[in-house]
Amino acid sequence: MKPESRKADKRPADNDPSAGAPSAQAAFTSYAAPLVDEAIEHANAVREDTSPEALHKLRVALRRLRSLWWAFDPLLEQGLSTQQRALYKYLATAAGKTRDWDILIELLAGDGHGARRVVDEMAPKLQDARGGALATSRETLSNADVKHLLREALSGASKELNTARERIPLRKFAAQRVAVSERSLKKRMKRARRAKPSNYAAFHDVRKAGKKLRYLLEFFGPVLSGGRKRTVKRLKQIQKRFGALNDVVASELLLHDNLALLTGAGDTDAALQWLKKERKRRMRAAAQLLRKL
């Protein structure tokens, strides 16, 4: 058992002073089962629905599952949560390969930045590349048997937690895990404030930590004491500003890595130049937000 889990109240739930309150172990399935159903539904939808929204919903569902498994990591067998989070990341990456092309196309097609002509010229090959990525995404998700994998993971974790001898009140556990996530975010924000303007990795770490904390507050908000509206508002600001930065950074890398694929499709140099300028602009905007928070 991991060190943090030793802090759990070892008395039977019936003898706990907060009698009537559910334990974290007993509550796990009520959090995880709907997310598993949602992820399976979106994975099935991707077979028929080629829209960017279908892939985005699948990625979000898998990210939420990763955050939930991270939250319950102290209560699970050592290594089990890490393995499951790696699986969810693998599946999300499979869906993300297509979504990355969607974001690049959306960015270049946006109004007001002079790249509209570029994307018009590149459109046929961009769509071909997106189609190839979609075929790969579908094949990967199909071969992975998402439904079986997610159901099996849910069943194994639920069984382990429901048969555990130790019990910790859900409210206490939720407060502990949210506090850990909050400290992680603060640490990464401090590091990003001191980072050089070119250090995107530091900004990316803030985005990931902020997203995890937001998901945890969405899961555990109803059982936590005290209002969290101000925190959620800050997290939404971070997610929006840093997500916009991530979109342009990922698009710049994607275009650069696929120049050979887009040969003759148009002025890729002009597209890269615009993305570079936009990356710098969004980096400044992200840094400005950090100073205010």
Side-chain angles (χ1 to χ4, degrees):
M1 192 68 69
K2 296 185 179 181
E4 186 171 340
S5 64
R6 295 194 188 103
K7 298 178 182 178
D9 190 341
K10 296 183 179 181
R11 290 169 294 180
D14 293 342
N15 296 328
D16 191 86
S18 57
S23 69
Q25 289 84 350
F28 170 78
T29 303
S30 65
Y31 287 117
L35 286 179
V36 167
D37 290 340
E38 183 182 347
I40 292 172
E41 178 184 351
H42 293 319
N44 290 335
V46 169
R47 297 175 186 172
E48 305 295 334
D49 189 351
T50 63
S51 70
E53 189 63 21
L55 289 159
H56 177 64
K57 287 180 178 179
L58 175 58
R59 288 177 82 186
V60 171
L62 291 166
R63 285 170 178 165
R64 285 166 59 81
L65 275 170
R66 284 180 66 197
S67 295
L68 184 67
W69 249 256
W70 177 87
F72 280 85
D73 180 64
L75 307 182
L76 293 168
E77 180 183 349
Q78 188 172 10
L80 178 61
S81 176
T82 301
Q83 292 172 6
Q84 292 306 319
R85 296 203 309 275
L87 169 63
Y88 302 142
K89 183 177 182 180
Y90 168 75
L91 296 174
T93 299
K97 290 184 182 302
T98 305
R99 179 60 182 156
D100 288 346
W101 284 104
D102 289 326
I103 293 171
L104 172 60
I105 292 169
E106 290 169 8
L107 278 171
L108 294 180
D111 293 328
H113 53 60
R116 190 62 179 252
R117 177 185 57 80
V118 175
V119 78
D120 287 343
E121 295 173 352
M122 297 170 61
K125 286 200 174 184
L126 286 173
Q127 289 298 336
D128 286 345
R130 197 259 185 193
L134 176 61
T136 301
S137 294
R138 283 173 162 172
E139 182 179 6
T140 300
L141 294 170
S142 177
N143 291 340
D145 192 359
V146 174
K147 180 178 180 179
H148 173 74
L149 286 175
L150 297 189
R151 294 280 188 218
E152 188 176 51
L154 173 61
S155 176
S158 296
K159 182 178 180 180
E160 180 184 343
L161 291 171
N162 288 331
T163 57
R165 295 182 63 183
E166 297 180 3
R167 287 290 185 268
I168 179 171
L170 175 59
R171 179 173 293 178
K172 177 181 178 181
F173 176 76
Q176 288 176 352
R177 298 308 283 159
V178 167
V180 171
S181 186
E182 286 178 329
R183 288 196 295 270
S184 176
L185 175 59
K186 289 178 181 178
K187 180 179 179 181
R188 283 158 177 74
M189 289 175 67
K190 183 177 181 180
R191 185 181 301 158
R193 290 189 187 103
R194 297 175 176 176
K196 295 180 179 179
S198 59
N199 186 359
Y200 168 68
F203 287 79
H204 187 54
D205 285 344
V206 171
R207 174 175 169 266
K208 291 190 295 183
K211 187 175 295 184
K212 179 186 291 182
L213 177 57
R214 183 180 175 185
Y215 289 154
L216 261 60
L217 290 176
E218 289 173 354
F219 295 144
F220 299 135
V223 302
L224 293 172
S225 59
R228 302 287 178 133
K229 290 184 179 180
R230 185 176 181 181
T231 300
V232 171
K233 182 179 179 180
R234 289 174 59 210
L235 294 174
K236 286 181 178 179
Q237 289 178 311
I238 290 172
Q239 194 166 345
K240 182 177 180 180
R241 190 75 59 90
F242 284 65
L245 171 60
N246 182 70
D247 285 349
V248 76
V249 170
S251 294
E252 185 180 9
L253 181 62
L254 182 65
L255 183 56
H256 187 272
D257 287 347
N258 288 275
L259 289 177
L261 186 64
L262 299 171
T263 300
D267 193 349
T268 53
D269 286 342
L272 283 170
Q273 276 299 113
W274 178 78
L275 287 169
K276 182 179 180 180
K277 289 181 180 179
E278 188 66 8
R279 167 170 49 84
K280 291 181 178 181
R281 185 184 73 79
R282 295 189 185 193
M283 284 281 284
R284 290 193 296 270
Q288 184 179 34
L289 177 62
L290 272 181
R291 290 193 292 270
K292 291 181 178 178
L293 294 177

